[in-house]
Amino acid sequence: MSLGPTDFPQASLNKSVDACYKTEDRGPLRVSDDVSIAESDVEGIAPRRSIDPSKPRRVRKSAKGRAKHKADKSFVNQQSKFQSYLSIDWRVPLAELERHTEEGGNDRVERVEVSQKVAPKLKEVVSRNETEIRFKTGCCVRVQDGGESNWAVLLRGSSSSIDMAKELVARVVSTGKSRSKTNQTTKPSSALPLKSNTDVSMRTEWNRSSLERQIRADRIPRPEKWTVVSFADYVERLARSEVSVSMHRHLYAEGETHKELVAKLLKDLLGDPQNKPYISIQAFNSALSFFVSHNMIAAARLLFVKMDLQQIGLTTETFNILIRGAAAAKDLHNFTFLLRLMIKRGIKPNGATWVAFLMAIETKEVKKHVIKSMYSKGLLQDISIVQDVMVQTIPDHFSTFLDSQQQQSGEGESNSIEVRDKNNHVLEFVKQIDSVFHQSWLTVYSSNCLLNILGYRGLLSQCLSLIELMHKRNISPDVVSLNTLLAHCLHHHNANGAVELTRLLTSPPYNIVLDDTSYDLLFMLAWRLGFHNMSRVAWAYACVAGAVSNRMLRKVAASLALARSSASDVRDEGDKREEENDKGSTSESDPASVSFTQFFAEAFPRDAGLIVAGATSPTVPTLKPKLTSTSISTRIRTTESNSSPTSFSATPSKYRPNHDPHVAADLAAVLTRRPTRPFTELLEEALKRDRQWRYHSKTWQLAKSAQWRRDNALDVGFLRR
């Protein structure tokens, strides 16, 4: 029986055709080749079915199908090119970690005896900076109390990390201060300095000294002579330097950013051949941590290659910096690649490497399996590793615990902060963890994870219970704790809770200093609720503190633009009704039937900017006619610190939005004004007045008038510096 051409698959026929048109010199023919094919050459091959052009619907459907198939194939090829099984198989890095991690970890323990004269100061420094020392050097430091004698310091880590910790602790003890500023609130990384021993009473809610220390990155003074220590100090100060949003507008011109300038300076310093004798592993780790934390992965890899060519002794912490960057991005492929490169260089992974592996994993069941492996290796004997493990695992466990407890008790979420829950689930959860680990597992970072979950569910009363527990265990909440709760108050529109939490955490014994995020959250909460006075207070103190965010500027600018565009032909509804009543005419709608919530929702976007702008100056802003396109595109140009802006440039900038003159004066108040009353006291008074405008029938009838609202707005009251 003979087989016809239709009995063969189409793919086989295509291969047969390709095989027929191969030449010895040119290989297989392509469409671009100028070669004619005779009809006899393709005789017996079934032609492809063509689509009837008279059926446009079928033609379009076929074209879409071909386009989709091409796009899907391109996507699969792209994924296959850049990803492999290492992107999803967590068992590969786990096997590498288990194979190259010794029992009890790869660290050694060294005991150093100290004199009784130095011991108290050394104990204070270590207790304040224990976490920072570990993340900076990779070494765990403990002070062993020997009473009147036999004081000693226990150092656990690799040989290089122990040497780095010795040098760092000795320098801080001898000088009594750290190498750079320490007003950071994020979790310490390898580039974080030690905390300076400053008095808590010096931490006020209006920290002008921190603003005056903010300078351009290229204005940071260099040492007169380069040494290994001075070079490392300067690199770390560059990597640690920060500029607030408001000060950034004053310090940098159009198109400049602080981050890019610091990156350029670091590249020039570490790439200059003349600086090669002064480059140390400390300077290298500081610069590498900066690039990784700002997601400059290409610059971090290039720097790593340059330092490797210079044969600088890389440490475990060097690789852990890169590994933490891949873990934060949930990039398991790069994590495995860096881990294998680390092992290939003869550097053993430690407990911090295992913790970074937990960061790269998203599945709760896999995390449990990894923790069991850590326990079998004896890594959980170190309480510092336990603290880091709890930060990575506690959100899933606590959420599951709350779900089970609320299902059993049938409780709902509460948006009130005054009433305490009968069953305090967070304290029960902490007791359960205490029964497994030592009480020192609870840190400010794990506490912030608990506060985040409680705040998301609206359980602010349990947040207060957790803060009280932190105080009993000598754990001080930081500004991240406050901002976490304020963010959830914004989500739940809970102004009372936000004001009370701000008052509680900014007063003794916590003394938290507000940052840019704190003012932004409070301002946005007041703005969304339509509270004129609360928005005015948050704006004014943010201007004086140099913490005005771009989002705040956009809100105020949009309100001023709306008021300016409607100034000529739009009058406020309250004034209209008063004129109509004087003339004896009747309105179509009954004023009593108009909801005050609806009224303020309509009036607030139009006049909020007029009440907020100019809060730092004694004069009330007046409504000016609509500006021309030339005068609108202005930006503030700062003069001396004790003068107001006098000249404007006609070039708009991304970092210098178009400012009203009153807004420009407010932004310049960062170095010219100082508050006379505590922020929380004025914030409570503003909230009380806003609620009086809203909920008191007599007052809110008067508050319908825009002029009355501007005349009776809360006087913030600032003095010249």
Side-chain angles (χ1 to χ4, degrees), residues 459-472:
L459 304 175
L460 294 183
S461 60
Q462 296 195 32
C463 293
L464 293 180
S465 300
L466 179 59
I467 292 175
E468 293 177 0
L469 178 63
M470 294 170 62
H471 179 62
K472 292 179 180 178

Side-chain angles (χ1 to χ4, degrees), residues 324-364:
R324 280 194 291 267
K330 307 297 180 183
D331 191 349
L332 198 59
H333 183 278
N334 280 332
F335 180 93
T336 307
F337 171 78
L338 292 170
L339 179 62
R340 288 178 170 177
L341 180 62
M342 175 183 181
I343 296 172
K344 185 178 179 181
R345 299 296 175 89
I347 300 176
K348 299 290 185 178
N350 57 8
T353 313
W354 282 82
V355 173
F357 183 45
L358 288 174
M359 294 173 56
I361 299 173
E362 300 182 6
T363 309
K364 180 171 62 174

Side-chain angles (χ1 to χ4, degrees), residues 638-670:
T638 57
T639 56
E640 299 179 359
S641 60
N642 58 351
S643 62
S644 58
T646 57
S647 59
F648 296 89
S649 173
T651 306
S653 172
K654 177 180 178 181
Y655 300 98
R656 291 166 175 79
N658 303 328
H659 295 325
D660 181 87
H662 297 91
V663 176
D666 287 342
L667 296 179
V670 60

Side-chain angles (χ1 to χ4, degrees), residues 279-294:
I279 299 178
S280 61
I281 189 61
Q282 290 86 350
F284 172 56
N285 286 349
S286 299
L288 189 64
S289 179
F290 171 83
F291 290 127
V292 172
S293 61
H294 289 82

Side-chain angles (χ1 to χ4, degrees), residues 418-433:
E418 293 85 2
V419 182
R420 296 299 179 94
D421 298 334
K422 296 180 180 179
N423 298 324
N424 209 318
H425 303 313
V426 64
L427 298 183
E428 296 177 5
F429 179 78
V430 172
K431 289 180 181 179
Q432 288 187 7
I433 305 299

